[in-house]
Structures are given as structure tokens and as C-alpha cells.
Amino acid sequence: MPRTLVLRPVLAAVLMLHGAIAAVADTARRQLTDLAGRTVELPAEVRRVATLGPVPVINSFVFAIGKGDTLINGLPPFARSARWKYQSLIAPNLSRQPQAQGLDNAPQLETLQRLAPDAVFAMDASTVRTVERTGLPVLFLAWRDAGDIGRIMQLMGEVFDRRERADAYTRYFDGVLERVRTAVAGVPTEQRPKVLYFSLKTLTQPHLIADWWIQAAGGISVTADGRRTESVRFTPEQVFAWDPDVLIVSSPEELAQIRHDARFRRLRAVRERKIHAIPAGVHPWGHRTAEQPLTVLWAAGLFHPSLFPGLNMTAEIKDFYRRFFDYPLSDRQAEEILHGNPK
């Protein structure tokens, strides 16, 4: 009997066994608890992920866990400009993917179902409820205060089975906060600068998280009044009443505008040239982002330069991107992030 005929039944048995193992692996499921306390069933290995709502924010956490290549939807309309170019540099696959939400940021369910993600991440309850009705597994990522940052990363570690990476990020975050806390601990309240982070165009402080990072960096946020609303709107008269020591605006364009805006020439920060544009990497640092520890470190050096004489933010940014985004920034790239001016 020819040798090949003897081997054929054995080979067939091996292939059947391999197929059976693969089938078991494909059907294996696990249950995770999201940040709303919901139980969500996911496949054993998550390979395809969709992000909805504040897509650049959520993407930043997927990048930080080292899984940018799993993203299957592109950036939404509001984030398709040079300001978010580092999203596609870190995850080139984003530029080839369809949008999963429209101009109103509502999820496009037909597109989402066609993409068939293993997991969907969202940050608001209404989006979670909408996607949940399609039968797709959707996880809620809460963000009300800084403590949620670590919880998001721990959940990412579970979803992608990268708990060590999540722990490394948490240690880094805690280390930066302790480094800054130790340096500014001796600064009395009356010597801490009053700071306003705002959009000049809309006269709003756009995100509650700004009150936290200003305080963590050794400043006093003039908009911190115990509010729980995400953004706050105010008048020029209110800005004059606050008369902040430091102004931080949302873009380099606004930095140029406020320097020539007659309404604000009398402000102490403008007179003393203590006005700055927020840095912007994968997302503007003043907003919610996995880059939040860099925000605190940058702001602390801005508010208390004498306490951070050796601080090199270019080196800090490059180290963070290498460690958590797996991306080797050049000095020029780190500088443009620092100045909030990606081009």
C-alpha cells in the first residue's frame, strides 16, 4: 500500500482535532463587569473593537494598553483634522476604517453591525442602551473624576488580557502624582496661582476634569465651585472678577487671539504674559485622555517652575509615548505636541 494512503486517515484525524479545538476557542466566552456594574459577555480573545462617543478619548486608552491595531472604526467627523493626527500615526489602521457615528455623534447602527466588533466601548449611558439593543457587547467606561482613569485601564487590561500593562500604566500615573504632590506640598494656598482653563471662542471651561488637574498640579482652578456639570459657561465680566494669574486656552490659535483681544488686556495673566495653549497629542491634554499624567506634570512645571528645575517635558513626552503608545516620537514631534500644534 502506498505510504500516502496510510497517512491520509491520520492527517484527517489531526485536522479534525485541530478544527474541534479551534471551534471550542471561537465559542469560548467570558463575563466582565464594566464601570456601570453591568455584566458583559465577550469572546475569549478580543480582536475587533469599536469606540463610540468621545472616540479619541477612548482610543487613547486602547493605545495605552497596546491594542490600537484592534480598532475597526475610524475617527468621527469632529476629529478628522491635523489636531488629531497622532491617532492615525499610532494606529495607521484608523485611516482605512469607516465612521461609526455621524455629525451628531449618534452611533450608526447598520455600520456597527456590519463591522461586527467583539466589543464596543462607550462613555454615555444612552449610547450604551442604544447599542445594547443590537445585541452587540458594549462596555460602559465611566468618567466623572480622576479615579476613573485607573479603573478604565484595569478594565482594558481585563478585556485584552493585558493586566501587567494596565498595572504599569497605573504605577506610572501614581508615580507622577506623587512626584508633583511631594514637590508642591509646602506651597501655601495663598501662593498657589489662580488658573483658568477655557475656550476663548465659547467662553466655557469645557471639561470637569480640568478642575482636578489644575489642583493636582498645585494651582487653584477658578471654576472649581463644587459643580458636577461637565462644562461651565461664563461672561467676560466673570473672567475679570476672577482675574486669574494664569490663563490656559484650548489652542495656539486662541493663544494668538487673546494676546490681541482688547477685552482682556487688563487681566493680570495677559499683562504678565502668563497665557499658554494646552498641549495636544492623541487628544488635547486639558480634556479627558490617557495622557492625563503628562497634563499634571506639564501644568506643575508651568505653575511652579522653581520646584521643577530639571523638568524636560520633551523627554517626558517621548518616554510616555514609547512606553504606553509603542510609538517612537522625534524631538520635533514631542515639541509640537507640547505646544499644542500638530500639523
Side-chain angles (χ1 to χ4, degrees):
M1 180 181 293
R3 184 180 180 85
T4 53
L5 295 180
V6 174
L7 289 179
R8 227 172 247 158
V10 177
L11 180 59
V14 169
L15 290 174
M16 287 178 64
L17 178 60
H18 182 271
I21 293 172
V24 170
D26 286 343
T27 58
R29 310 290 290 178
R30 59 200 169 108
Q31 292 185 333
L32 297 182
T33 302
D34 71 6
L35 298 189
R38 299 165 54 257
T39 299
V40 181
E41 190 174 83
L42 298 178
E45 183 179 357
V46 171
R47 302 171 184 170
R48 299 169 56 80
V49 167
T51 54
L52 296 176
V55 171
V57 177
I58 303 173
N59 286 358
S60 75
F61 286 94
V62 179
F63 298 158
I65 209 71
K67 283 293 186 175
D69 60 346
T70 66
L71 292 164
I72 58 172
N73 62 291
L75 294 172
F78 75 84
R80 294 202 167 217
S81 71
R83 190 161 176 78
W84 283 272
K85 77 172 187 179
Y86 284 98
Q87 293 263 334
S88 295
L89 287 178
I90 291 169
N93 46 303
L94 286 176
S95 62
R96 302 187 297 272
Q97 309 294 15
Q99 297 178 3
Q101 62 194 53
L103 291 171
D104 60 355
N105 288 333
Q108 296 180 336
L109 297 181
E110 289 186 6
T111 299
L112 203 58
Q113 289 178 299
R114 186 172 68 252
L115 291 172
D118 296 324
V120 179
F121 294 122
M123 276 188 169
D124 68 271
S126 62
T127 298
V128 169
R129 288 192 296 269
T130 299
V131 175
E132 197 172 33
R133 288 194 287 269
T134 69
L136 293 171
V138 54
L139 296 111
F140 179 73
L141 305 180
W143 191 308
R144 292 300 302 172
D145 54 50
D148 289 329
I149 297 171
R151 289 187 280 275
I152 290 173
M153 281 304 299
Q154 291 303 314
L155 180 59
M156 290 284 177
E158 292 183 41
V159 168
F160 293 107
D161 193 22
R162 288 205 162 185
R163 294 168 181 81
E164 290 185 4
R165 177 94 163 212
D167 290 342
Y169 176 91
T170 303
R171 286 193 302 272
Y172 172 85
F173 192 103
D174 291 344
V176 168
L177 292 187
E178 182 58 30
R179 175 182 171 188
V180 173
R181 187 183 302 116
T182 299
V184 304
V187 181
T189 301
E190 61 272 17
Q191 293 181 21
R192 298 189 176 213
K194 294 185 299 179
V195 182
L196 174 61
Y197 170 58
F198 76 122
S199 166
L200 178 64
K201 181 179 179 180
T202 61
L203 283 183
T204 60
Q205 196 269 55
H207 287 287
L208 186 62
I209 195 70
D211 288 341
W212 171 80
W213 59 255
I214 289 171
Q215 180 178 349
I220 298 171
S221 176
V222 297
T223 56
D225 58 2
R227 66 190 171 91
R228 295 295 291 171
T229 55
E230 185 61 31
S231 65
V232 60
R233 187 178 296 275
F234 38 81
T235 63
E237 289 72 26
Q238 180 60 70
V239 178
F240 292 131
W242 286 324
D243 196 18
D245 302 300
V246 178
L247 284 174
I248 302 174
V249 293
S250 59
S251 70
E253 292 76 19
E254 290 197 349
L255 184 61
Q257 290 165 9
I258 199 169
R259 285 173 174 159
H260 300 95
D261 193 321
R263 295 175 300 171
F264 300 111
R265 285 176 185 167
R266 292 185 287 112
L267 289 175
R268 178 183 297 119
V270 176
R271 294 198 316 268
E272 298 179 0
R273 298 181 178 274
K274 293 183 178 179
I275 50 178
H276 310 273
I278 196 74
V282 299
H283 199 53
W285 287 9
H287 299 189
R288 301 171 294 182
T289 172
E291 295 162 284
Q292 215 81 79
L294 291 173
T295 315
V296 174
L297 192 56
W298 168 79
L302 202 67
F303 303 160
H304 304 285
S306 65
L307 300 180
F308 298 89
L311 181 62
N312 182 336
M313 281 306 302
T314 298
E316 296 283 352
I317 295 168
K318 290 177 66 176
D319 177 64
F320 181 92
Y321 270 62
R322 177 186 56 80
R323 291 170 63 179
F324 298 110
F325 292 165
D326 301 312
Y327 189 82
L329 287 174
S330 67
D331 285 348
R332 182 193 62 78
Q333 288 175 317
E335 284 290 324
E336 71 174 11
I337 288 172
L338 185 59
H339 293 101
N341 199 27
K343 292 181 179 178

